Amino acid sequence: VQLQASGGGLVQAGDSLRLSCAASGRTFSHVAMGWFRQAPGKERAFVAAINWSAAGTYYSDSVKGRFTISRDNAKNTMYLQLNSLKPEDTAVYYCAASLTARIGTMRDPRTVDYWGQGTLVTVSS
């Protein structure tokens, strides 16, 4: 079972990026998935989550209104659209899947069963 995150890069403040998370080894179409990020010297923090049908989404206050999470179950892929990026968004972004958590409880990293390897987003001022 593998989650492969991609799409990170170096951008300027105000720019946009789209991160992708491709799942392989099993289908994740019936579980909640989400994104976390870890800035240098800080703990891993919740960013967003989406339920299995994509009908429900949940965001941290710091990204609400700027980031959009989505998924395509036919492609076993999840996305995170990052708009209006700020220097404080600089971090390694990790995709995640939880076999049991609802999107509201998935903000706790302990609910995650599978982690991707991370993709670095750097936002310059």
Side-chain angles (χ1 to χ4, degrees), residues 25-48:
R26 64 159 288 166
T27 179
F28 287 90
S29 60
H30 289 85
V31 303
M33 298 186 71
W35 292 92
F36 290 74
R37 66 186 181 185
Q38 188 165 16
K42 295 187 177 181
E43 294 185 351
R44 193 169 298 190
F46 170 78
V47 174

Side-chain angles (χ1 to χ4, degrees), residues 30-34 50-52 71 96-99 101-103 106:
H30 289 85
V31 303
M33 298 186 71
I50 187 167
N51 71 353
W52 69 272
R71 65 192 295 170
S98 174
L99 300 178
R102 296 180 181 270
I103 56 174
M106 197 176 169

Side-chain angles (χ1 to χ4, degrees), residues 32-109:
M33 298 186 71
W35 292 92
F36 290 74
R37 66 186 181 185
Q38 188 165 16
K42 295 187 177 181
E43 294 185 351
R44 193 169 298 190
F46 170 78
V47 174
I50 187 167
N51 71 353
W52 69 272
S53 68
T57 57
Y58 185 61
Y59 297 92
S60 68
D61 289 342
S62 61
V63 307
K64 195 177 299 181
R66 299 188 299 122
F67 293 6
T68 303
I69 190 170
S70 61
R71 65 192 295 170
D72 184 338
N73 286 337
K75 297 181 178 179
N76 228 17
T77 302
M78 175 180 63
Y79 306 97
L80 186 68
Q81 178 69 38
L82 294 69
N83 295 332
S84 303
L85 281 162
K86 305 175 181 180
E88 51 264 42
D89 293 319
T90 295
V92 177
Y93 284 72
Y94 297 90
C95 56
S98 174
L99 300 178
T100 57
R102 296 180 181 270
I103 56 174
T105 55
M106 197 176 169
R107 65 183 303 119
D108 183 346

